[in-house]
Amino acid sequence: MPRAFITGITGQDGQHLAEFLHSKGYQVFGMLKGQNNPRALQFRDEFPYVELVPGDLADLPSLVSALEYAQPDEVYNLGAISFVAMSFGQAELTSNITGLGVLRMLEAVRMVGGTQNNKIRFYQASSSEMFGKVREVPQNELTPFHPRSPYGCAKVFGHDITVNYRESYDIFACSGILFNHEGPRRGLEFVTRKISNAAARIKLGVQDELVMGNLDAKRDWGFAGDYVRAMWLMLQQDAPDDYVVATGETHSIEEFLTLAFAEAGLDDWHRYVRQDPKFFRPAEVDFLIGDPKKAQDKLGWTREVDFPALVRMMVRHDLEVEASRLKK
Ligand code: NAP
């Protein structure tokens, strides 16, 4: 039975990946931070097959102990301070966890897997936010980085140190440069889930307005369930490499609003949405659109859920959750 170790197990991608690897017959270990993590109870209920191991990306000895215990064949480093807006206010914390955390995880892999013929395969969750003020459209694996947030800067370090450990120590380390991916498990702080949840709550009469930032921002949005498959595929190849994972399509927040409110049965989103400059980013990223050709050609990866289906899935989920909450 192959063994996988996932940091960021309680996050959106951690949950999808745990489910996916379990279905592939893996023994799954997930790293849980904190002495009384508020997400632990619900996580244990939903994912009884995942063995939780304590550890924190700020603490190298804890990562070493966690890997010594799990003895994984594959490590997926998904843990991060991942909310771009928050990274402006907590830049040092973001750099420490999202950036230096990758270095600590790689060191733990080197220490536990051995400095020669290291057998552990490593995946780093890199991000399209590294492209920021984009140098070309669409962006591929060779497009230069120009991050526009502390989060993007930390991810650039995480990406570069992953490549460096691969080249310096012959570690099977891959960096997946993933464009935005969403779904019903997305945190409520992220714009897509904020919209799908508000549409559901407005429809059910428990909320009457939605306060938003920049509605013109455009993103390349896919479904998280499709994207974790790409992570796994990267670690199954003969040689480690870096891949862009994206849909190759871009959509505006306005388009997301239009589809989401229509799915909830609300005719005109303009009636409910107010903009507040407080939600604008100090520096916005440009036209993010990924070129997934390499992932398609080399990994045989394709997405299964398109943009309208993604929005539909999220709104239907939130309508169900909010309606059952009302019944209680
Ligand atoms: P997420 O839902 O925000 O999950 C982040 C995870 O990181 C949570 O499990 C969180 O644990 C954990 N974490 C935070 N601080 C930690 C620390 N000090 N030590 C260990 N774990 C810590 O993020 P996601 O959407 O699943 O994304 C997964 C990864 O992909 C992240 O690295 C993200 O930056 C990257 N990424 C995401 C996207 C996207 O569109 N979703 C795109 C590109 C890249 P708690 O629950 O305990 O706080």
Side-chain angles (χ1 to χ4, degrees):
M1 200 184 212
R3 298 161 78 91
F5 178 84
I6 304 173
T7 71
I9 191 79
T10 52
Q12 169 186 257
D13 291 5
Q15 296 176 44
H16 279 286
L17 184 63
E19 213 167 58
F20 176 78
L21 293 175
H22 178 63
S23 76
K24 290 261 171 217
Y26 278 71
Q27 183 168 356
V28 182
F29 297 85
M31 192 175 84
L32 188 72
K33 78 172 203 296
Q35 64 181 52
N36 185 14
N37 190 309
R39 296 166 101 174
L41 201 61
Q42 194 188 345
F43 186 89
R44 282 195 177 94
D45 283 349
E46 272 184 58
F47 301 90
Y49 49 82
V50 174
E51 185 167 347
L52 292 173
V53 183
D56 195 305
L57 285 166
D59 181 62
L60 176 61
S62 76
L63 303 178
V64 173
S65 302
L67 290 192
E68 274 172 348
Y69 178 78
Q71 291 294 319
D73 303 296
E74 297 172 11
V75 168
Y76 296 86
N77 186 38
L78 312 185
I81 301 296
S82 72
F83 189 41
V84 174
M86 182 178 137
S87 78
F88 285 100
Q90 300 188 17
E92 186 182 339
L93 179 70
T94 304
S95 306
N96 189 23
I97 304 304
T98 307
L100 279 173
V102 187
L103 171 65
R104 294 189 192 100
M105 202 66 240
L106 282 161
E107 262 310 305
V109 165
R110 212 159 76 91
M111 289 161 84
V112 176
T115 45
Q116 304 270 303
N117 300 320
N118 194 310
K119 294 284 186 301
I120 301 177
R121 295 186 167 207
F122 178 83
Y123 172 84
Q124 167 56 17
S126 293
S127 164
S128 54
E129 290 284 332
M130 301 190 301
F131 297 123
K133 194 170 167 58
V134 302
R135 305 282 179 86
E136 60 183 350
V137 179
Q139 296 87 47
N140 63 34
E141 293 77 8
L142 300 175
T143 303
F145 300 137
H146 187 147
R148 295 272 277 173
S149 62
Y151 170 81
C153 295
K155 283 290 181 189
V156 170
F157 174 76
H159 171 85
D160 285 344
I161 201 70
T162 299
V163 174
N164 182 258
Y165 266 55
R166 176 168 78 219
E167 293 173 354
S168 306
Y169 305 118
D170 204 20
I171 288 177
F172 192 110
C174 299
S175 172
I177 306 174
L178 271 53
F179 281 62
N180 288 61
H181 45 279
E182 320 292 315
R185 288 172 171 152
R186 191 62 149 144
L188 286 164
E189 66 276 31
F190 293 92
V191 69
T192 52
R193 186 75 198 290
K194 182 174 163 181
I195 295 172
S196 65
N197 186 256
R201 287 169 63 85
I202 291 170
K203 174 68 183 175
L204 296 170
V206 283
Q207 180 173 330
D208 34 53
E209 73 166 2
L210 167 61
V211 186
M212 297 283 297
N214 180 10
L215 302 185
D216 298 326
K218 287 188 163 176
R219 295 287 184 276
D220 179 330
W221 275 305
F223 171 50
D226 285 339
Y227 285 41
V228 297
R229 206 165 7 94
M231 298 175 186
W232 174 76
L233 282 167
M234 287 178 213
L235 298 197
Q236 311 315 307
Q237 305 305 305
D238 291 338
D241 207 343
D242 308 321
Y243 298 87
V244 160
V245 181
T247 68
E249 277 173 25
T250 188
H251 297 277
S252 67
I253 291 181
E254 278 209 34
E255 281 176 81
F256 200 104
L257 279 165
T258 306
L259 288 179
F261 275 68
E263 183 62 31
L266 297 161
D267 49 3
D268 181 10
W269 61 265
H270 296 90
R271 288 175 49 202
Y272 311 100
V273 173
R274 180 168 62 82
Q275 276 184 285
D276 184 334
K278 168 172 105 193
F279 290 106
F280 282 61
R281 290 184 186 183
E284 185 53 272
V285 298
D286 288 337
F287 195 53
L288 285 185
I289 176 164
D291 175 0
K293 191 168 182 318
K294 181 174 169 185
Q296 288 167 346
D297 292 351
K298 294 204 167 170
L299 304 177
W301 178 82
T302 48
R303 62 134 180 220
E304 285 171 5
V305 177
D306 66 10
F307 181 68
L310 172 67
V311 180
R312 215 176 305 129
M313 180 199 306
M314 293 177 72
V315 174
R316 286 182 187 174
H317 168 86
D318 281 331
L319 278 168
E320 236 171 73
V321 170
E322 292 299 329
S324 76
R325 195 168 285 158
L326 275 179
K327 276 190 209 137
K328 281 181 192 158

